Amino acid sequence: MDDIWKATDEELLLRVGAVQHELNTLSASLVPLVAELMTRGLAKVKGYRDTADLLRSVQNVARSTAKERVRAAEQLSPLYLITGQQVDPQLPVLAEAFERGEVTAEHVRVIQSVLASIPPHLDTHRPALEAELVQHARGLDPDAVAKLGKRALAVLDPDGPRPRDPRPSRNRLTLRPLGNGVEARGWFDTESAAVLRTALSPLTVPVPPVDGAEDQTRDERSTAERNGDGLVELARRMIGVGVLGTEAVQPVQVSVTVPLDTLTAREGAALLGFGEGGLAAVIAAEEARRLVCDARAVPIVLAATGEPLFVGRESRLANRAQRRALAQRDGGCAFPGCDIPPQWCIAHHVVHWIDGGRTDLVNLVLLCRHHHSMIHKGDWVVEMDGGFPVFHPPPWIPGGPRRNVLHRPDLVGRIPEQAAREPVPL
């Protein structure tokens, strides 16, 4: 590793990924070892309370870590009967992926936890859910897999566990003076909370940094602070105009003026105009291409002499019906592992509109601002497959092509071909 400074960026990233694969393989190698400890009953032989207590001493790890390793051995290792007959592991798909180093020990813990939450009357769904979670774990981090599993269980068992308090509760909001302000506390039923969150959504979007500004600090407000500001703004609008107003399909309207040779070469500068009477700003041509689908922008292509050759039409923008269809199909940002809701996303052209891409559902995908910028950098590639967006990672990220089903837990465990054939309602 002494020559690591000589590595290119891609080589360095590949090495980091390779080390993680080695760590996964080493973690998986513990499974048969711990299983053999249990089979031999060495914990009792050596005077320990249980196998987890033995591992704490032998490996010098926390008891919680030791218990996780024992649990992995119990469910991922085959059992051998007195007759010598082998019994398959409880979670064979997870066991195989872990042995190959395709998933981490954290993935194992998360998937075990999700499967343990399946109620008895839905136990027949366990194999399909295990296979689906393992498949997505190859491309999603453990936190995302946990969210996916929780949402999939909610779809399988929408009634959930029986509430402790069967008495119906009513919406309530308490405003109590506290210090130089007022403390608000409340409770809303699920339907009312959905209505409130929908109304607050356009007013609580994080404020992005201004491109080109010296101060590139992000919106430092917490979610609770943004919700508070949004609620106050909602009240101001209702008092002032009597209506809430609508959330625009696109946040801004701009014009991008770029010479034809610059547009073709994707190098050089373009002019970005901010609304009526706004001063134009000079930006890179590639940045202008990104803004064309990030905002309500109209591209204006100039000849070498300066006269306009082509003025783009607003028909390149996804209309309201298409936005609704995209929200139903993608559910939000389609980038793997992202849980940003659809109203905070833009409709990105898979084949850029300037390059001849059509404003059709088969050429549109919802992306949040962060992942939209990431796609434009070119490391990740998105394409449509069977009516759904599929993302291809750069070579230094293992796992191959992947989809984001965090927003569509109803598709988990189903045959992809069947899901792809379902019509998308407009």
Side-chain angles (χ1 to χ4, degrees):
M1 300 294 287
D2 294 337
D3 62 343
I4 193 170
W5 62 273
K6 298 180 181 179
T8 64
D9 293 348
E10 288 71 20
E11 290 172 341
L12 179 61
L13 290 167
L14 285 171
R15 290 192 189 184
V16 171
V19 170
Q20 182 60 52
H21 187 273
E22 293 177 5
L23 291 174
N24 296 346
T25 303
L26 285 173
S27 296
S29 67
L30 275 175
V31 170
L33 295 176
V34 176
E36 184 64 20
L37 288 178
M38 297 165 60
T39 300
R40 298 187 184 186
L42 283 182
K44 182 179 293 186
V45 171
K46 300 299 183 181
Y48 290 88
R49 290 191 296 270
D50 50 31
T51 303
D53 193 34
L54 175 61
L55 288 180
R56 287 181 65 192
S57 178
V58 174
Q59 297 185 307
N60 192 26
V61 295
R63 181 166 180 80
S64 58
T65 301
K67 292 175 69 174
E68 289 176 3
R69 293 174 179 175
V70 169
R71 187 182 175 201
E74 291 173 341
Q75 297 187 336
L76 305 185
S77 178
L79 299 178
Y80 296 91
L81 305 179
I82 299 178
T83 60
Q85 182 181 1
Q86 178 178 327
V87 179
D88 291 336
Q90 298 178 34
L91 304 177
V93 180
L94 180 58
E96 182 178 359
F98 193 35
E99 183 178 4
R100 292 179 178 178
E102 297 172 343
V103 298
T104 68
E106 290 182 273
H107 284 111
V108 171
R109 174 181 55 79
V110 166
I111 294 176
Q112 285 179 316
S113 178
V114 171
L115 296 177
S117 302
I118 297 178
H121 66 283
L122 295 175
D123 200 60
T124 55
H125 293 273
R126 185 181 303 274
L129 185 56
E130 177 197 354
E132 191 80 11
L133 291 177
V134 170
Q135 176 61 32
H136 290 293
R138 294 184 172 95
L140 297 179
D141 64 77
D143 292 337
V145 173
K147 292 179 182 178
L148 175 60
K150 183 177 180 180
R151 296 176 186 182
L153 287 177
V155 172
L156 290 174
D157 189 23
D159 294 333
R162 184 180 299 275
R164 294 181 179 180
D165 186 359
R167 296 174 300 175
S169 297
R170 296 180 178 179
N171 295 335
R172 57 183 181 270
L173 178 64
T174 303
L175 300 176
R176 184 173 67 90
L178 181 65
N180 60 352
V182 175
E183 181 184 60
R185 290 187 178 183
W187 183 93
F188 299 90
D189 61 59
T190 303
E191 180 180 352
S192 300
V195 173
L196 180 60
R197 294 179 67 177
T198 301
L200 287 176
S201 177
L203 308 176
T204 58
V205 181
V207 179
V210 179
D211 293 337
E214 295 183 1
D215 184 7
Q216 288 290 315
T217 58
R218 53 178 294 181
D219 190 338
E220 298 294 340
R221 295 178 300 168
S222 65
T223 301
E225 290 170 337
R226 285 190 284 108
N227 285 338
D229 291 342
L231 185 59
V232 173
E233 179 63 22
L234 176 61
R236 284 200 181 108
R237 293 190 183 190
M238 293 298 294
I239 293 173
V241 299
V243 295
L244 182 61
T246 60
E247 188 174 12
V249 175
Q250 298 293 336
V252 294
Q253 182 171 355
V254 300
S255 62
V256 180
T257 305
V258 55
L260 179 59
D261 55 350
T262 299
L263 181 65
T264 304
R266 303 192 182 192
E267 295 180 353
L271 293 179
L272 184 65
F274 296 91
E276 296 294 332
L279 297 176
V282 178
I283 60 172
E286 187 59 34
E287 181 68 9
R289 292 170 63 89
R290 181 186 66 80
L291 288 175
V292 163
C293 57
D294 188 27
R296 196 176 182 85
V298 179
I300 303 173
V301 181
L302 302 179
T305 55
E307 70 271 17
L309 290 178
F310 176 80
V311 178
R313 302 179 305 277
E314 289 191 0
S315 60
R316 69 169 194 82
L317 300 171
N319 58 37
R320 291 185 181 275
Q322 289 173 322
R323 291 281 306 193
R324 288 196 296 268
L326 287 170
Q328 192 280 335
R329 186 196 71 189
D330 297 343
C333 180
F335 194 90
C338 185
D339 59 0
I340 295 298
Q343 62 268 30
W344 295 358
C345 299
I346 57 98
H348 168 74
H349 288 70
V350 176
V351 177
H352 203 289
W353 190 74
I354 294 178
D355 296 331
R358 298 174 60 87
T359 307
D360 297 330
L361 289 179
V362 294
N363 192 45
L364 295 174
V365 57
L366 289 181
L367 292 174
C368 67
R369 292 182 182 275
H370 170 68
H371 290 120
H372 181 239
S373 297
M374 183 179 293
I375 288 295
H376 271 272
K377 290 182 183 297
D379 289 336
W380 285 79
V381 176
V382 58
E383 65 178 10
M384 302 302 294
D385 184 9
F388 289 91
V390 175
F391 292 78
H392 297 263
W396 34 267
I397 294 183
R402 60 202 68 181
R403 281 180 48 205
N404 186 10
V405 293
L406 279 179
H407 305 285
R408 294 296 307 277
D410 55 309
L411 298 181
V412 176
R414 297 173 56 184
I415 301 174
E417 289 74 14
Q418 291 179 342
R421 286 197 296 268
E422 291 187 352
V424 177
L426 296 179

